Amino acid sequence: MSGLVCGLSERKAINQDLILDMSSSPLQLFGQAKKKINQIFVNVTSYIEESSLFLSEIACQDNIVSNSDVQKVSSFKEKVSGICDVLARNHMKVAFFGRTSNGKSTTINAMLRKKILPSGIGHTTNCFIQVEGSDTSDGYILTDDSQIRKPLQTVGELAHALSHTKVKENTLIRIVWPKDKCNLLSEDVILVDSPGIDVSPNLDSWIDNFCLDADVFVLVANAESTLMQTEKNFFLKVNDRLSKPNVFILNNRWDASASEPEMMEEVRQQHLERNVSFLTDELKVYNAQEAAKRVFFVSARETLVSRLKDDVGTPTPTGSLQEGYESRLFEFATFEKKFEETLSQSAVRTKFAPHTDRAKTISRQIQTILDAVHTSALRKKLLKLTLH
């Protein structure tokens, strides 16, 4: 039973340990917590097995323990095994939403530092596309109707596959990409791209199928226009189903403001005030100070162009970027830092906390049964001594 004591003490130390380790990378918090909680459940499993064996051996001795208690403890094995299976599959999930052609796919590509998703002129995402990491050496596609792996080497192949595949808007296509080719995917992060929320009436089914397990939502808005009611309505629906969802607002295509520098700050302030008002007064998920830290002004296109060049060691083609692009690149990086911190902390809380509570409940129930056995054994021993 020493395994339980060790396991519970490790659980109590998780938060402090992870806080100390966050200086390396916020996303590593999730991996560290996942490793620790898996070890806790190894110890809990050992405790259950030891207790079950002990109770089974004494079950026929003087009615010290009831058969129902023996069966109850034994049943915990299957429950804990199921939790362990869930923990093995857990990951951090980010869902990107916005109107058609607002730059959701380009934003994901910029964060991945790879042009994995088709984007740009002539392409719009017409179904849900999930990008996830794999230990395989090559990328491939999986669809809802088949588990056959379709090889994927280039973005062109994906665009071709999507254009020649008849899919409904609520279909999920999974892009499985080698982890060693993308740092973000190597940290158990999956990213979900979506069709434009202005082209579908099926928002409720979208939320049910793709949003309930998301840790963070990113609203990719168009900085050249105001936040639209269709965008607000979608997130109001999300807020009805989820308790205070984590939301970031990216005002994309902010490079367009470079053509009117004299109006830039005024337009930025207008967008900021409206975005903050939406997050605080309508969604009611943050106070004004917190909301302001969830709104960013970026150019996903510029960020992607710059990073593709940086990663192969060639100079950024400044001729294709608007004046002041450095500040927009910095703001995109600032968004990513805040996003990673929020994502890892939210995922640890939502994915692991319920399982930790379940482990504590199971441990308490077993301890209650063992205490009752101990008390019953003492009483029978005293009764025998009294009779003699």
Side-chain angles (χ1 to χ4, degrees):
M1 297 182 195
S2 60
L4 175 65
V5 177
C6 178
L8 293 181
S9 65
E10 284 189 1
R11 178 186 56 74
K12 292 177 181 178
I14 283 180
N15 290 338
Q16 184 60 38
D17 289 345
L18 296 177
I19 290 173
L20 294 175
D21 289 343
M22 277 190 66
S23 58
S24 53
S25 169
L27 291 178
Q28 290 180 7
L29 170 67
F30 182 82
Q32 294 162 1
K34 186 173 181 178
K35 182 177 180 180
K36 284 181 177 291
I37 195 170
N38 275 307
Q39 183 57 51
I40 288 171
F41 273 91
V42 167
N43 293 334
V44 171
T45 299
S46 176
Y47 178 53
I48 293 172
E49 291 174 347
E50 291 177 15
S51 301
S52 180
L53 178 61
F54 169 70
L55 293 175
S56 296
E57 290 175 346
I58 67 169
C60 57
Q61 299 179 17
D62 299 328
N63 296 320
I64 293 178
V65 60
S66 67
N67 287 331
S68 62
D69 282 341
V70 174
Q71 293 172 1
K72 184 177 183 179
V73 172
S74 180
S75 70
F76 290 146
K77 296 179 187 178
E78 185 175 350
K79 292 178 180 178
V80 169
S81 176
I83 292 174
C84 290
D85 289 342
V86 171
L87 290 174
R89 298 192 301 268
N90 265 335
H91 47 249
M92 295 175 278
K93 180 176 178 179
V94 188
F96 292 76
F97 290 93
R99 286 180 291 142
T100 303
S101 299
N102 273 9
K104 300 182 294 294
S105 301
T106 305
T107 298
I108 292 174
N109 285 336
M111 295 177 71
L112 294 173
R113 306 181 76 95
K114 299 280 184 182
K115 196 169 184 184
I116 295 178
L117 297 176
S119 61
I121 297 175
H123 177 80
T124 57
T125 303
N126 58 3
C127 65
F128 283 84
I129 302 179
Q130 175 174 299
V131 185
E132 60 189 90
S134 168
D135 294 323
T136 59
S137 57
D138 297 310
Y140 56 90
I141 301 173
L142 292 173
T143 58
D144 280 348
D145 59 354
S146 173
Q147 287 302 305
I148 298 175
R149 297 182 178 184
K150 301 176 183 178
L152 175 64
Q153 297 292 336
T154 67
V155 177
E157 290 179 3
L158 176 59
H160 179 79
L162 293 178
S163 63
H164 287 76
T165 302
K166 293 183 179 180
V167 294
K168 296 180 180 179
E169 62 190 23
N170 60 350
T171 298
L172 177 68
I173 292 179
R174 293 168 57 198
I175 299 176
V176 185
W177 198 255
K179 289 182 179 180
D180 59 7
K181 294 183 180 179
C182 181
N183 290 335
L184 188 59
L185 298 180
S186 70
E187 299 288 358
D188 279 333
V189 177
I190 69 169
L191 308 176
V192 180
D193 196 5
S194 65
I197 58 178
D198 51 331
V199 297
S200 172
N202 301 317
L203 298 184
D204 290 325
S205 65
W206 284 15
I207 294 169
D208 290 339
N209 294 332
F210 305 107
C211 297
L212 297 183
D213 61 341
D215 299 293
V216 169
F217 295 87
V218 179
L219 168 56
V220 181
N222 187 346
E224 297 181 86
S225 65
T226 187
L227 201 60
M228 304 297 288
Q229 194 60 44
T230 51
E231 294 164 314
K232 292 183 178 182
N233 288 342
F234 175 77
F235 278 93
L236 288 169
K237 285 178 175 289
V238 170
N239 199 39
D240 285 340
R241 300 296 303 276
L242 299 174
S243 178
K244 292 189 175 182
N246 283 303
V247 181
F248 286 88
I249 299 179
L250 290 186
N251 290 282
N252 192 30
R253 297 181 178 167
W254 188 236
D255 49 324
S257 66
S259 62
E260 297 180 282
E262 69 281 358
M263 298 291 294
M264 185 185 301
E265 284 307 313
E266 181 180 346
V267 173
R268 181 186 178 106
Q269 189 60 32
Q270 288 176 351
H271 279 316
L272 180 60
E273 290 175 358
R274 290 168 182 167
N275 292 170
V276 168
S277 175
F278 172 60
L279 294 173
T280 57
D281 301 332
E282 296 181 64
L283 281 186
K284 296 180 171 58
V285 290
Y286 308 115
N287 60 39
Q289 185 177 8
E290 293 169 335
K293 296 178 181 178
R294 298 300 184 103
V295 179
F296 296 88
F297 295 80
V298 302
S299 169
R301 182 192 66 83
E302 288 182 327
T303 303
L304 178 59
V305 168
S306 176
R307 289 180 173 182
L308 290 177
K309 294 296 182 179
D310 286 347
D311 289 350
V312 296
T314 57
T316 297
T318 55
S320 63
L321 306 181
Q322 295 292 330
E323 183 179 348
Y325 72 89
E326 297 94 342
S327 63
R328 292 185 290 276
L329 298 184
F330 180 79
E331 183 136 354
F332 197 98
T334 303
F335 151 68
E336 288 177 308
K337 182 178 179 181
K338 179 67 175 176
F339 156 84
E340 290 178 1
E341 292 174 354
T342 302
L343 174 60
S344 58
Q345 292 169 4
S346 172
V348 168
R349 183 173 62 253
T350 59
K351 310 292 188 189
F352 300 150
H355 298 311
T356 303
D357 291 340
R358 183 61 176 146
K360 289 162 60 179
T361 299
I362 290 174
S363 299
R364 283 195 296 265
Q365 290 177 322
I366 294 176
Q367 188 62 54
T368 298
I369 292 172
L370 293 177
D371 286 343
V373 168
H374 179 66
T375 301
S376 178
L378 284 178
R379 286 175 179 169
K380 290 183 179 296
K381 182 177 180 180
L382 289 173
L383 181 60
K384 287 181 180 180
L385 290 175
T386 302
L387 294 176
H388 288 293

